[in-house]
Amino acid sequence: TLLEAVQAAGGTVPVLCHRPGLDPVGVCRVCVVEVEGARVLAPACVQKAQAGQVVRTDTPAVRTARATLGELLMADHETPCARERLSGDCELEAYYRRYGPRNGHGAAAAEPAPPRFAPRPEPPRRLDDSAPMIMVDHGACILCDRCIRACDDVQVNLVIHRGGKGGRTRIVFDDDRPMGASSCVACGECAAACPTGALVDRPLTGLDFRGTTKTDAVCPYCGVGCQITYETKGNTIVRVQGKADGPANLGRLCVKGRYGFDYAQHPDRLTVPLIRREDAPKTPDLPADRRSLFREATWDEALDLAARRLREIRDAYGPSALAGFGSAKCTNEEAYLFQKLVRAGWGTNNVDHCTRLCHASSVAALLETIGSGAVTDIVRDVEHADCALVIGANPTENHPVAATFIKQAARRGLTLIVVDVRRTGLMRHATHAVQFRSGTDVAFLNGLMHVILEEGLADLDFVRTRTTGFEALAETVRRYPPEVVAGITGVPAETVRAVGRAVGRAKNVMIFWGMGISQHTTGTDNARCLISLALLTGQVGRPGTGLHPLRGQNNVQGASDAGLIPMVFPDYQPVKDAAARARFEAAWGVALDPTPGLTVVEITSAALEGRIRGMYVLGENPFLSDPNVNKVKRALARLDWLVVQDIFLTETAGYADVVLPGAAAAEKTGTFTNTDRRVQLTRAAVAPPGEARPDWAIIIEMANRFGFPMRYDSPEAVFRELCAVSPSIAGLTYDRLAREAVTYPVPEPGHPGTTVLFDRDFPTGRGRFVPAEWEPARETPDADFRFVLNTGRLLEHWHTGTMTRRSRVLDAREPSPWVEIAAEDLARIGARDGEMLRVTSRRGTITLRAEASGRVAPGSVFIPFHFHEAAANVLTNDALDPFGKIPEFKVCAVRIEKA
């Protein structure tokens, strides 16, 4: 465009409606320039540049046009507007100061004149105060449409439009509702795009945005790994912005990333170490005031006591009597130190983290079939796909920024197939939206492969040259024609055929899945079928193809890579492998246990049985995150000794003997690895409150006092050692990560990183088909328990709610628990929308509000698991997948009654 040509030549042209990243529309006309020979002034943002044109950007006609346009826009504008008052960056006011008509002559000429024009009619509902995160002032709006394009074209949420006619034209939300009552998902993209005070972020911490210090970091929530910039004053975070060049997000954020930062400054933060009072015995049921169970202590007292008692248990009962739960919220460096302490310091492999509760079955299947547990292509490469299958995942709520790239691809013509037991937001954008019965994934996927083979759509060249086990797969899927699959899944046979053909005929197919696939006793079989589908159609090894299990926590990939898994050392080197063990024994200077350790749920069972007597829990809250909460409570209460390191006094910490105050994500420097395998450096923006310390430093102190010396002076020193023992990231350094995020494998310095894996072969040589037969879920409805329960996350909350429920905006949008139920089921039990229901499984009972919904099928209910007052995991089944050892969160039988 002319604008781009002028800018490339070093010239300047003002803009208001234009913004990088948005398609130009030319509605404000302040960018007009004079093109020699043209009849009228040309809007530079939309006019295409042509060779030989003579363009003038500062002529009398151009100056007059800019001044008059400024007057027209400023006629409606209250000065200073909210944006100017809060951050001093209203683009319209800056434009008018520079280009507006001058007021008189001489010295006064520097001042712009007042506008000569009358304002437009006052819009109805000029001030809209209904949303907790954004202030709306229609009187400051200049109808530049930047908010519309940000909402529609970037986030693809389709909430903001123009309404009214003539001088009463205005921006509206949905069908002209207040913003807080609309379908707005509070991503904040509109406020980030708005050039005036029409849409402005609220100051959540009471401070304005002028004169802030900016620190680049990584979002602490889901696995997308959005790069952010913290804006701080003193030791207070006042705002978060998305980094425009962040490779995972391109500046985009969701409601959690943009507005969920204030949890770190919540008054509930732990600021001093705590020791359990001698008159506070452990019982399964905690008192309402958990703080009353503890007394404050010095760091030396707390660390000495914590380490001494763990050492005494090791000496009396052996290393296998100890276990550690690490955290995917901590950095790679902290995960590495924690598993090293457990393995090399304590002498056991009983160390695990939340991957066991989300994607352990996916990793087990990927390692078995292709030899790697990571994704094979990055999310953004969906732009190179012509078909995407999203199954058992709800990215619009759980990975909202990743969902924007999928929705954009769908608008450009991508064939989008969304398959789930519950209707999700992404289904609005799908070519094929398929709702099926819980626990029937294997049958459905076998049906797709049956169609692909029956209709000759398989990539037999790929199968012949790059796979093994095809004959066994073909024999298995032969037994799943669409008519049989329809009877099992409830999906019409013709829909099974249509989806099978769409996948089979596409040139490039990406497969995304989430915990709707993995959190089953058949989770590994579900993932095996997805991998077989990709191998059968040759959809691996090219941009826009491959397998992508969407990671749920910000560093679950990195924590797994760093060895926070009981059966592997860092970089997935098996503890049973003698050569791998010898490498780590040489690196760490101690003999290591060759026996794989216990997993999360196995550790809980062992604690209840008295085999695990001491635990160290870092940043996890198994009280809410683990299945069968009543069992977890009994197990925690039975432990001889429990050390919890966290930023809040969580429910799990209520059972602790010693509580150590750690640092929040904004208070630490280190690396995170996102769902794309992208390693990114995050930096501390503020200091921990009170006496709280960075987690890496606490782990080192615990190790030293336990009798296993650790000598590191910084996270960077830890990272150097992690890279030295991890071939996949051997080429990384902090210096490099300070300049760029890098997608591993990066086997040596200077290596560019690897976006697409397995273009030629797999770590196992050939990919392996592992066929699976469908079998019902471990627990199905019966006469006493007639409903199927499904659990999951909400857009506004994350994991156990420890952080998000202490964020003002997030808690305001979703303050309390509910059970989603079909309207006809609600009527059948004699209850109404909004009334309280009692939900009971074979393991416990909770009471919560009914929400009538068309998203769940009759006979099914959905409960988010973030709310301690009605914890969904009181109900869930702790039966395990035999391969991934992941519990059955997604299917259990419940009874529902009016409370």
Side-chain angles (χ1 to χ4, degrees):
T1 64
L2 290 179
L3 175 64
E4 292 165 332
V6 170
Q7 290 173 336
T12 300
V13 174
V15 293
L16 281 176
C17 72
H18 183 67
R19 184 174 189 248
L22 302 179
D23 288 338
V25 292
V27 297
C28 76
R29 285 317 205 246
V30 303
C31 67
V32 290
V33 294
E34 196 172 279
V35 179
E36 190 172 279
R39 184 174 58 86
V40 295
L41 299 178
C45 70
V46 292
Q47 187 79 46
K48 294 295 183 185
Q50 298 177 24
Q53 282 179 315
V54 177
V55 178
R56 296 183 175 88
T57 63
D58 188 22
T59 66
V62 168
R63 289 194 293 271
T64 298
R66 288 175 183 166
T68 304
L69 286 165
E71 286 187 280
L72 287 164
L73 294 171
M74 284 295 291
D76 297 324
H77 195 76
E78 178 185 342
T79 305
C81 68
R83 183 174 299 277
E84 188 70 15
R85 292 195 306 272
L86 288 171
S87 51
D89 61 356
C90 173
E91 295 179 39
L92 174 59
E93 295 186 34
Y95 170 88
Y96 198 65
R97 285 192 293 270
R98 180 169 180 180
Y99 297 103
R102 298 300 94 183
N103 185 11
H105 301 283
E111 295 297 323
R116 294 169 292 163
F117 306 109
R120 289 181 298 159
E122 183 81 1
R125 199 191 304 118
R126 174 186 166 177
L127 296 175
D128 178 356
D129 203 32
S130 60
M133 65 290 169
I134 294 173
M135 299 182 292
V136 183
D137 181 359
H138 290 278
C141 178
I142 60 172
L143 295 174
C144 67
D145 291 353
R146 273 164 54 164
C147 60
I148 296 176
R149 285 173 287 154
C151 185
D152 288 6
D153 300 344
V154 178
Q155 294 277 353
V156 200
N157 289 323
L158 314 178
V159 177
I160 309 178
H161 323 278
R162 281 192 179 210
K165 294 181 178 180
R168 294 189 178 276
T169 302
R170 65 196 181 280
I171 297 301
V172 300
F173 304 94
D174 291 339
D175 51 352
D176 198 12
R177 303 182 186 194
M179 187 183 206
S182 73
S183 61
C184 170
V185 298
C187 67
E189 195 74 31
C190 58
C194 181
T196 72
L199 294 163
V200 181
D201 288 340
R202 290 182 180 280
L204 300 180
T205 48
L207 299 172
D208 65 28
F209 311 135
R210 292 174 179 266
T212 59
T213 299
K214 296 177 173 59
T215 305
D216 291 339
V218 179
C219 178
Y221 290 111
C222 80
V224 174
C226 297
Q227 288 193 5
I228 61 175
T229 298
Y230 287 112
E231 295 188 27
T232 59
K233 283 188 173 183
N235 205 45
T236 300
I237 303 168
V238 299
R239 185 164 62 173
V240 169
Q241 302 274 40
K243 279 198 70 184
D245 59 351
N249 60 314
L250 301 182
R252 308 167 195 196
L253 293 176
C254 75
V255 62
K256 293 189 290 290
R258 196 181 301 274
Y259 301 114
F261 60 83
D262 51 329
Y263 76 90
Q265 289 137 221
H266 196 277
D268 286 352
R269 280 293 301 273
L270 291 169
T271 58
V272 294
L274 304 175
I275 292 177
R276 194 176 198 88
R277 291 180 16 236
E278 293 182 3
D279 60 347
K282 295 181 188 178
T283 59
D285 294 317
L286 294 172
D289 180 15
R290 294 192 292 274
R291 186 65 177 78
S292 65
L293 301 172
F294 300 91
R295 65 175 177 83
E296 294 185 358
T298 66
W299 271 105
D300 284 339
E301 181 187 15
L303 289 168
D304 285 342
L305 178 61
R308 176 171 60 81
R309 290 300 304 275
L310 289 172
R311 189 173 61 247
E312 289 172 353
I313 292 172
R314 192 272 311 270
D315 294 344
Y317 301 102
S320 61
L322 296 176
F325 281 177
S327 175
K329 295 185 284 292
C330 291
T331 64
N332 291 324
E333 293 79 0
E334 290 158 349
Y336 175 75
L337 289 178
F338 190 79
Q339 63 86 37
K340 181 178 178 180
L341 166 62
V342 174
R343 288 194 159 101
W346 296 358
T348 177
N349 289 311
N350 290 339
V351 62
D352 208 353
H353 77 297
C354 71
T355 191
R356 195 63 44 204
L357 307 176
C358 57
H359 270 302
S361 52
S362 303
V363 172
L366 287 163
L367 288 171
E368 172 190 41
T369 55
I370 61 175
S372 168
V375 304
T376 67
D377 197 3
I378 64 173
V379 169
R380 280 180 54 197
D381 266 3
V382 71
E383 68 183 1
H384 301 300
D386 48 358
C387 178
L389 170 62
V390 180
I391 181 168
N394 186 6
T396 50
E397 296 192 44
N398 300 161
H399 305 87
V401 171
T404 67
F405 295 108
I406 299 172
K407 290 185 288 185
Q408 284 181 320
R411 294 187 78 179
R412 291 192 294 264
L414 172 84
T415 297
L416 177 59
I417 304 162
V418 183
V419 185
D420 211 294
V421 301
R422 177 173 172 251
R423 290 200 65 82
T424 67
L426 197 60
M427 286 183 175
R428 292 175 60 196
H429 307 268
T431 314
H432 302 280
V434 182
Q435 193 168 5
F436 68 150
R437 294 185 186 125
S438 297
T440 62
D441 308 72
V442 167
F444 179 77
L445 294 169
N446 279 347
L448 299 187
M449 289 187 280
H450 178 101
V451 171
I452 287 166
L453 285 173
E454 181 183 57
E455 301 196 7
L457 301 175
D459 186 341
L460 296 180
D461 286 340
F462 186 95
V463 169
R464 183 174 56 256
T465 59
R466 296 196 56 186
T467 70
T468 63
F470 170 69
E471 292 77 11
L473 177 85
E475 176 62 24
T476 297
V477 303
R478 184 180 61 81
R479 297 190 285 275
Y480 291 85
E483 290 71 23
V484 170
V485 171
I488 297 171
T489 65
V491 178
E494 198 47 50
T495 299
V496 177
R497 286 194 175 88
V499 172
R501 289 167 184 154
V503 173
R505 292 171 178 168
K507 178 182 177 183
N508 290 334
V509 181
M510 285 193 78
I511 300 175
F512 299 94
W513 72 93
M515 289 176 282
I517 283 288
S518 59
Q519 288 181 333
H520 292 271
T521 51
T522 58
T524 305
D525 280 345
N526 294 344
R528 285 166 173 160
C529 289
L530 286 171
I531 298 162
S532 291
L533 180 62
L535 295 178
L536 184 64
T537 52
Q539 297 294 349
V540 180
R542 304 184 307 278
T545 69
L547 301 155
H548 196 118
L550 288 158
R551 267 37 185 207
Q553 293 204 39
N554 68 320
N555 201 38
V556 70
Q557 181 67 60
S560 301
D561 298 341
L564 214 55
I565 299 178
M567 61 284 299
V568 293
F569 295 121
D571 213 4
Y572 306 96
Q573 300 173 69
V575 299
K576 293 192 293 185
D577 183 270
R581 203 163 55 252
R583 286 193 292 272
F584 283 94
E585 287 175 342
W588 295 344
V590 296
L592 298 171
D593 187 354
T595 306
L598 300 177
T599 62
V600 164
V601 179
E602 291 174 330
I603 288 170
T604 298
S605 297
L608 193 58
E609 296 163 8
R611 292 184 289 119
I612 295 291
R613 292 177 172 269
M615 283 186 66
Y616 182 4
V617 177
L618 169 64
E620 287 289 287
N621 191 12
F623 180 102
L624 283 179
S625 63
D626 288 17
N628 194 354
V629 164
N630 287 323
K631 176 181 175 180
V632 175
K633 290 158 60 175
R634 296 194 303 273
L636 292 172
R638 184 164 183 189
L639 287 167
D640 293 349
W641 194 250
L642 174 61
V643 179
V644 173
Q645 183 172 316
D646 215 314
I647 62 174
F648 295 109
L649 193 65
T650 63
E651 291 79 10
T652 299
Y655 296 92
D657 297 281
V658 174
V659 180
L660 305 174
E667 299 155 4
K668 59 179 67 176
T669 294
T671 57
F672 292 129
T673 305
N674 78 341
T675 189
D676 286 335
R677 294 177 275 110
R678 185 177 290 112
V679 185
Q680 304 184 110
L681 185 63
T682 190
R683 298 165 182 83
V686 290
E691 298 179 29
R693 296 180 178 180
D695 293 284
W696 67 272
I698 302 173
I699 298 167
I700 290 171
E701 288 290 340
M702 284 286 289
N704 291 338
R705 284 168 165 81
F706 192 88
F708 179 67
M710 286 187 180
R711 300 287 183 261
Y712 306 95
D713 60 4
S714 66
E716 184 175 5
V718 180
F719 188 72
R720 283 195 294 268
E721 181 174 309
L722 172 59
C723 293
V725 298
S726 303
S728 291
I729 58 172
L732 291 181
T733 64
Y734 266 34
D735 285 344
R736 181 174 179 182
L737 294 176
R739 299 189 302 272
E740 60 175 338
V742 187
T743 304
Y744 75 76
V746 192
E748 58 193 10
H751 190 282
T754 313
T755 300
V756 180
L757 297 180
F758 317 135
D759 57 336
R760 296 179 181 174
D761 53 25
F762 299 101
T764 52
R766 286 174 172 252
R768 179 186 174 196
F769 287 106
V770 180
E773 296 281 2
W774 172 75
E775 57 183 63
R778 194 70 58 88
E779 186 177 276
T780 55
D782 58 23
D784 293 323
F785 300 92
R786 297 178 180 273
F787 290 85
V788 174
L789 169 66
N790 177 24
T791 67
R793 292 187 174 114
L794 301 178
L795 170 66
E796 292 81 5
H797 288 303
W798 184 69
H799 208 46
T800 62
T802 304
M803 294 153 57
T804 54
R805 296 197 70 193
R806 290 178 171 89
S807 168
R808 194 172 88 189
V809 166
L810 304 180
D811 189 59
R813 285 179 58 89
E814 280 291 352
S816 60
W818 42 263
V819 52
E820 194 174 61
I821 182 171
E824 59 236 67
D825 288 334
L826 197 57
R828 194 172 295 118
I829 62 176
R832 293 191 301 244
D833 188 27
E835 290 187 332
M836 299 301 287
L837 300 182
R838 183 184 306 110
V839 185
T840 303
S841 76
R842 292 178 173 86
R843 290 154 293 279
T845 298
I846 61 175
T847 302
L848 66 175
R849 174 174 54 86
E851 183 161 303
S853 170
R855 297 182 68 179
V856 292
S860 300
V861 295
F862 171 84
I863 299 177
F865 66 81
H866 315 288
F867 300 92
H868 64 85
E869 60 269 43
N873 284 328
V874 166
L875 309 171
T876 50
N877 191 354
D878 57 350
L880 298 181
D881 176 301
F883 306 98
K885 302 295 182 68
I886 196 168
E888 178 80 275
F889 285 113
K890 294 300 182 187
V891 182
C892 80
V894 296
R895 179 171 61 248
I896 301 182
E897 305 156 290
K898 188 174 176 179

